Amino acid sequence: MTKAIDYSLYLVTDSDLMSTETLEEAVEQAILGGVTLVQLREKTASSKVFLDTARRVKKVTSQYGVPLLINDRVDIALAINAEGVHIGQDDLPLADVRRLIGADKLIGVSARNLAEAQAACKAGADYLGVGAMYATDTKTDAQLVSLAELAEIRAAINLPIVVIGGINKASILDFKAMGIDGFAVVSAIMGQTEIKKAANELKGLVEKC
């Protein structure tokens, strides 16, 4: 990916949490509040619903010049010409995703420890999503990563690192001066009544890190 990416406030969607009538409205409000990158993650949606939703959300992100990443689904990312995909440890191997999606698209990889981070780096990931940092209702089976483990990954890996899992106004400053590139937020934006305000408040805290 040749374009410089701002990972600082990274929205991960969840339709089950949203306070708005539509997902695209929630995404727009989040962007207006300061979100710099959007990952569309709709775990329970059918392929058709996911595709239709992705098309609507892509119109919004394109309007504001914010990159859109698709969680797991390379086919949907290609169908809507998203800026990239984010894959987990149990998804398609990164090398295969790269062959499918092309050299100019962004690929993020979830990592829970140094070994996974190093493997993703070696395979050609563009950035890492490290976590879960804290317990979260949105991913109840997540393996937690300690701040010490995060520091170890940061010291060893040159790629941009986005932390995820329980990231909110109370926890963001835990990462101050750790050299973290971005903060992936789900419920602390999606589940708030005033999404734009919530995003803006988080943006202010992110800038202090």
Side-chain angles (χ1 to χ4, degrees):
M1 189 88 180
T2 54
K3 181 184 172 185
I5 301 295
D6 182 352
Y7 294 95
S8 57
L9 189 54
Y10 180 129
L11 176 70
V12 180
T13 69
D14 188 332
S15 294
D16 293 336
L17 294 174
M18 67 184 185
S19 58
T20 54
E21 287 190 15
T22 66
L23 188 59
E24 54 268 34
E25 183 185 348
V27 168
E28 182 172 32
Q29 287 300 307
I31 291 171
L32 290 171
V35 159
T36 58
L37 187 66
V38 176
Q39 179 185 326
L40 188 62
R41 185 173 76 183
E42 297 298 313
K43 291 285 191 181
T44 58
S46 68
S47 293
K48 184 179 186 307
V49 169
F50 198 161
L51 179 59
D52 290 345
T53 302
R55 284 200 172 111
R56 294 195 304 271
V57 170
K58 184 68 169 69
K59 287 181 181 177
V60 175
T61 57
S62 293
Q63 179 185 343
Y64 292 98
V66 170
L68 176 65
L69 307 178
I70 303 298
N71 190 66
D72 300 347
R73 297 291 299 269
V74 178
D75 53 345
I76 289 175
L78 287 168
I80 67 160
N81 194 28
E83 281 72 22
V85 293
H86 186 89
I87 57 174
Q89 293 294 319
D90 297 324
D91 297 322
L92 288 175
L94 195 154
D96 294 312
V97 173
R98 181 61 76 193
R99 276 195 292 273
L100 289 166
I101 208 164
D104 62 336
K105 298 289 188 182
L106 198 67
I107 302 178
V109 178
S110 296
R112 297 161 296 193
N113 53 54
L114 181 57
E116 290 179 354
Q118 289 173 324
C121 186
K122 186 177 179 181
D126 293 296
Y127 74 95
L128 299 178
V130 176
M133 300 309 306
Y134 302 100
T136 169
D137 291 339
T138 60
K139 205 164 187 182
T140 54
D141 60 343
Q143 176 184 324
L144 297 187
V145 178
S146 70
L147 290 176
E149 288 172 314
L150 174 64
E152 186 181 30
I153 293 168
R154 176 70 289 174
I157 301 295
N158 232 4
L159 296 177
I161 290 177
V162 176
V163 290
I164 187 166
I167 306 300
N168 54 42
K169 287 193 291 184
S171 62
I172 279 180
L173 293 179
D174 291 350
F175 303 93
K176 192 169 184 177
M178 290 192 70
I180 301 307
D181 300 276
F183 297 84
V185 180
V186 190
S187 58
I189 291 178
M190 293 297 299
Q192 305 308 303
T193 306
E194 296 182 70
I195 289 176
K196 180 180 175 182
K197 180 182 176 185
N200 191 248
E201 289 174 350
L202 288 165
K203 183 72 170 177
L205 291 170
V206 165
E207 288 169 356
K208 294 179 181 179
C209 291

